[in-house]
Amino acid sequence: RGLLGAAVVLLVAGCAAPPPAAGPITVQIGTTTMGDAGFQLLSEAGPCELLAGYQGLLFLPLRYLATGASGRVFVTARVEIEGEVPTEQGRTIVLNEEPGVGFVSETHIVLLDQPIATLIGKSAVITATITAGAASGTGSIRVVLRDDDPCIDQGGGTCALPEAGTADDPDAG
């Protein structure tokens, strides 16, 4: 009787409807505003802010707007900067629903190890692929790398704003 019951359960389970086909995922690339609390889509040929991190590394704080996926997904970001070796970094991220916006990722920090002076003003193509189960989608955008932060590195992780009229003052002209 136990064997017969198990056989019936397996037979019924085998007749269950297959899972729905994975739909397409659309991906738009953005950045963070106000730390990790905001989201702003990047615009084609528009600026993308480089940020200075500890130990001299630079990074791009990327966030993604996705349709067709939510929760934990895997993202691969590829950054191709003119005249530089492409950088590709992947990780698992979480897509959370933001009212009025859609499903937005937490910040994906893409590290760059080139000196900042060699990157400012260059064109870069950022491509992001999000994979959720059997579904995936890719978005791509061309941006211009900028550093609008007026901070002068003081070492030890501290920073100071430049004095008015100095070469580092963004309003110095």
Side-chain angles (χ1 to χ4, degrees):
R1 205 157 151 50
L3 231 32
L4 181 59
V8 170
V9 169
L10 287 175
L11 183 60
V12 170
C15 293
I25 298 174
T26 60
V27 180
Q28 292 178 286
I29 302 169
T31 189
T32 184
T33 58
M34 301 176 295
D36 201 27
F39 173 75
Q40 178 179 340
L41 282 173
L42 292 171
S43 58
E44 188 67 30
C48 184
E49 181 77 8
L50 285 165
L51 298 178
Y54 295 104
Q55 301 173 345
L57 290 175
L58 299 171
F59 64 92
L60 293 173
L62 301 178
R63 294 184 80 190
Y64 312 104
L65 175 62
T67 57
S70 64
R72 295 178 68 79
V73 298
F74 190 81
V75 64
T76 302
R78 181 177 175 88
V79 180
E80 299 176 62
I81 302 168
E82 62 180 285
E84 305 288 336
V85 175
T87 298
E88 188 170 293
Q89 296 169 21
R91 68 174 276 231
T92 299
I93 60 171
V94 177
L95 295 170
N96 292 306
E97 187 169 15
E98 290 191 14
V101 179
F103 286 93
V104 178
S105 74
E106 59 196 357
T107 301
H108 180 198
I109 293 175
V110 177
L111 298 172
L112 304 170
D113 62 0
Q114 297 93 333
I116 194 165
T118 66
L119 300 179
I120 300 301
K122 285 191 174 181
S123 175
V125 174
I126 302 170
T127 303
T129 300
I130 290 179
T131 304
S136 69
T138 300
S140 187
I141 193 162
R142 180 177 299 276
V143 296
V144 176
L145 300 176
R146 292 178 38 171
D147 177 27
D148 293 335
D149 183 0
C151 174
I152 299 173
D153 184 8
Q154 301 296 302
T158 62
C159 142
L161 294 176
E163 293 181 28
T166 65
D168 288 320
D169 178 5
D171 297 323

